[in-house]
Amino acid sequence: LLGAQQGAAAIAGYGSVPSAVAQKMVFDAVSDPRSRATLRRLYATPASGALVALESRSRLFPKGLADFIALRDQRCRTPYCDAPVRHRDHARPHARGGATSAVNGQGLCEACNYAKESLGWQVNTAIDENGTHTAEFTTPTGTHYHSAAPPMPGTPKMPMTEAEIYLNGELLQVIAA
Ligand SMILES: [Zn+2]
């Protein structure tokens, strides 16, 4: 948020709103299917820097960010796995400086999350030039596997306006807080 202080939050285009209202907006954003489409849409918009800023100081993924990662990834990100997402994993481990962020976060199934840690796999995540979240898995023997988040269902042809991008970015930062 621009100026989150004293129980109020400044949201572009809305001015100052009580933080309870801002939280309600965020809650609605992650629970309403239409707003989920907005999250997908934001994610699919490479012009927006908001996704990169989607980061929490917490070691654990807060619910909004966890929901976002599950919506984005849909299935376990280990190449060829395709099991339902059960864990939100730090691609670069938190203990080694990995951020609790949309970029460093990935959805994994339980088995793959434990396998990744016990087998010493390395995963490097990034956002490519099309706005797609990518993950490069490297096994201890040096073999590379590439994983990309699936295309967003119903991705619109129309780009978002700058105001939409900005407002959504502000809301997503609240989600990640
Ligand atoms: Zn898996």
Side-chain angles (χ1 to χ4, degrees):
L1 288 181
L2 285 178
Q5 51 178 307
Q6 301 285 323
I11 296 180
Y14 287 76
S16 185
V17 297
S19 56
V21 174
Q23 283 171 15
K24 174 75 164 58
M25 290 169 75
V26 169
F27 179 80
D28 290 346
V30 295
S31 58
D32 181 338
R34 288 168 303 172
S35 296
R36 284 187 199 182
T38 303
L39 288 180
R40 292 195 182 97
R41 194 173 168 194
L42 173 77
Y43 180 72
T45 305
S48 170
L51 184 70
V52 179
L54 197 51
E55 183 166 330
S56 170
R57 291 202 181 91
S58 167
R59 184 179 66 83
L60 298 174
F61 288 92
K63 185 176 186 307
L65 186 51
D67 287 349
F68 179 86
I69 290 168
L71 281 169
R72 180 195 68 194
D73 292 354
Q74 300 181 37
R75 313 298 289 183
C76 175
R77 288 294 295 276
T78 304
Y80 314 115
C81 175
D82 207 37
V85 169
R86 294 278 181 249
H87 293 185
R88 310 315 182 270
D89 173 61
H90 290 80
R92 178 186 169 89
H94 188 266
R96 284 197 275 129
T100 302
S101 66
V103 176
N104 192 47
Q106 60 174 350
L108 293 180
C109 74
E110 201 169 347
C112 287
N113 196 17
Y114 294 133
K116 171 183 173 255
E117 288 176 24
S118 62
L119 298 177
W121 286 31
Q122 283 194 25
V123 182
N124 292 308
T125 50
I127 306 293
D128 74 11
E129 67 278 7
N130 299 314
T132 300
H133 185 264
T134 63
E136 199 72 34
F137 286 67
T138 307
T139 70
T141 58
T143 307
H144 297 274
Y145 297 94
H146 184 79
S147 164
M152 302 293 141
T155 300
K157 302 283 189 289
M158 290 286 293
M160 292 171 81
T161 65
E162 277 192 35
E164 278 181 302
I165 291 169
Y166 189 76
L167 176 59
N168 278 286
E170 295 298 313
L171 286 173
L172 285 168
Q173 287 184 37
V174 176
I175 292 172

